[in-house]
Amino acid sequence: MFTNKKRIALWMVVPFAAMGLLLPACSDDDDDVPECTNGATRCSGTVVDTCTGEAWVPGDDCADQQGTCEVVAGVAQCVYPNPSPFEGMSITLDLLSSTLAVDLGELDITEFEGDDAIRLTRVVEVAALELPWDNQYNFISSDDFDVMNDRFAGDASALPHYGELDYGFLVNTEEDGLRVFWGPEVSLPRPLSIKFMDGGTIQLVPFDATELLVVGGEVRARVDLSALPTEDVVDYKYPEDGAKPMIPMVDVFAAAELTSPDAFAYKIYGNDGFSNNDTNLMPYVNTTHAWINPADRRVIAEEAWDTTECCWRVRDTVLLIGIPVQ
């Protein structure tokens, strides 16, 4: 990987002609007002002053290039932050109705397996999406390799959801340029270690109003609720609404081809990221007494199988994650 070196713009002290010696820098301490001696330097905030003709003359303002003024070995000088190892690199966010260029050199740096890295979440956050959970995320490299279409034949379910982006990292490699890597927390159908992402694109792939993603073990499937049969159910919390057509959750699992749904307890995410907490997962047996309303993708359960804790009643469900039962 690359080693960052601090860039320092040095102001050299002018020799005193008669003595041929370097004079010490003058301090700008309010309690010790220095004598201005020709050629000396000092910091005035972020500005380097030089004593010229027995007067302090302001030089460059270090803040103009995001620097600070510091006295090093008696010499006032501009000190600049280390340049990002991703300086000059960019990724385009394809927001479907618009695009946004993201300067990677301006993003926070973390570490992945000992290398400088940027979390994918940091890239997507630049767009300030109102509902980031309402999408999956496709990757198109600078050499036009399209993960969803070229690797998965247009199947969006294989793509990472928003919760997985925090475990995805951009790393600048010598062999493959800017490359996407994933932490062990993410289990995707096939490795998505995408090469040549400098100048590439992260593309939003939104859920339709009746779609949700089911994840459990090796299964990842988008389920279209509008294609599933319903049965009339009265929500015990809103009996005044009468019976509404709803889809049994077990039918959702069947549509996703989740072969062992009883091996999991379920975490339910809405399109705003709201979900039940990890201590209140929905056991499989409870899902056999639960439904999803296709009109608003709200999960409900029979009163005897509901929870008194927060929160199985998630509206606009976009994600059902099966957590293996120990």
Side-chain angles (χ1 to χ4, degrees):
M1 297 310 299
F2 304 97
T3 301
N4 302 323
K5 296 183 178 179
K6 179 176 288 188
R7 299 179 296 165
I8 302 179
L10 297 176
W11 285 71
M12 302 305 296
V13 178
V14 179
F16 183 60
M19 298 177 61
L21 298 175
L22 295 179
L23 294 176
C26 297
S27 170
D28 61 352
D29 191 330
D30 292 340
D31 297 328
D32 184 19
V33 179
E35 178 184 356
C36 179
T37 306
N38 195 44
T41 58
R42 71 175 186 182
C43 289
S44 294
T46 58
V47 176
V48 178
D49 291 344
T50 302
C51 185
T52 305
E54 300 183 351
W56 289 110
V57 178
D60 291 337
D61 187 344
C62 307
D64 290 344
Q65 297 185 48
Q66 293 76 50
T68 59
C69 182
E70 298 180 17
V71 176
V72 179
V75 180
Q77 54 196 261
C78 285
V79 177
Y80 298 103
N82 293 337
S84 166
F86 300 93
E87 188 171 13
M89 297 183 178
S90 66
I91 281 181
T92 297
L93 291 178
D94 182 352
L95 310 175
L96 303 183
S97 60
S98 63
T99 60
L100 176 65
V102 178
D103 183 351
L104 300 181
E106 296 181 352
L107 302 185
D108 294 339
I109 307 299
T110 185
E111 186 178 281
F112 177 74
E113 296 185 351
D115 293 326
D116 289 326
I118 296 175
R119 290 185 189 274
L120 292 175
T121 311
R122 301 289 88 79
V123 181
V124 174
E125 282 176 347
V126 174
L129 299 174
E130 182 179 356
L131 298 172
W133 285 88
D134 205 20
N135 311 279
Q136 288 179 266
Y137 295 84
N138 185 32
F139 298 84
I140 303 171
S141 64
S142 58
D143 62 354
D144 294 327
F145 179 78
D146 183 317
V147 170
M148 182 174 71
N149 293 298
D150 295 338
R151 182 171 295 176
F152 297 117
D155 180 12
S157 66
L159 301 175
H161 56 74
Y162 186 71
E164 293 170 319
L165 295 187
D166 216 35
Y167 305 105
F169 301 87
L170 290 166
V171 177
N172 191 18
T173 69
E174 292 185 4
E175 182 177 355
D176 299 317
L178 191 65
R179 185 167 180 171
V180 175
F181 292 95
W182 299 91
E185 299 85 354
V186 177
S187 178
L188 297 167
R190 288 171 59 187
L192 288 184
S193 186
I194 305 102
K195 307 175 183 179
F196 311 125
M197 283 302 295
D198 182 17
T201 299
I202 298 177
Q203 181 185 55
L204 274 63
V205 184
F207 292 104
D208 289 339
T210 58
E211 274 188 319
L212 55 85
L213 177 69
V214 178
V215 177
E218 296 182 356
V219 171
R220 295 173 71 96
R222 280 200 182 198
V223 175
D224 183 358
L225 300 179
S226 68
L228 301 182
T230 62
E231 57 188 43
D232 291 339
V233 178
V234 176
D235 185 345
Y236 79 91
K237 286 197 172 183
Y238 304 99
E240 66 277 8
D241 291 344
K244 299 290 184 183
M246 299 188 191
I247 300 165
M249 285 189 69
V250 292
D251 289 352
V252 176
F253 299 147
E257 299 183 357
L258 191 61
T259 55
S260 300
D262 56 344
F264 305 98
Y266 294 89
K267 195 171 181 68
I268 308 164
Y269 283 88
N271 65 353
D272 58 356
F274 183 81
S275 72
N276 52 320
N277 58 51
D278 291 338
T279 62
N280 188 40
L281 302 177
M282 179 181 272
Y284 173 74
V285 64
N286 296 63
T287 70
T288 64
H289 299 269
W291 299 263
I292 293 181
N293 186 338
D296 59 6
R297 289 179 293 182
R298 181 193 292 271
V299 175
I300 71 164
E302 290 180 12
E303 184 171 7
W305 298 89
D306 207 346
T307 178
T308 57
E309 304 175 45
C310 184
C311 298
W312 294 354
R313 290 177 165 267
V314 176
R315 182 189 293 271
D316 293 317
T317 300
V318 293
L319 181 60
L320 287 171
I321 299 181
I323 310 298
V325 176
Q326 300 299 323

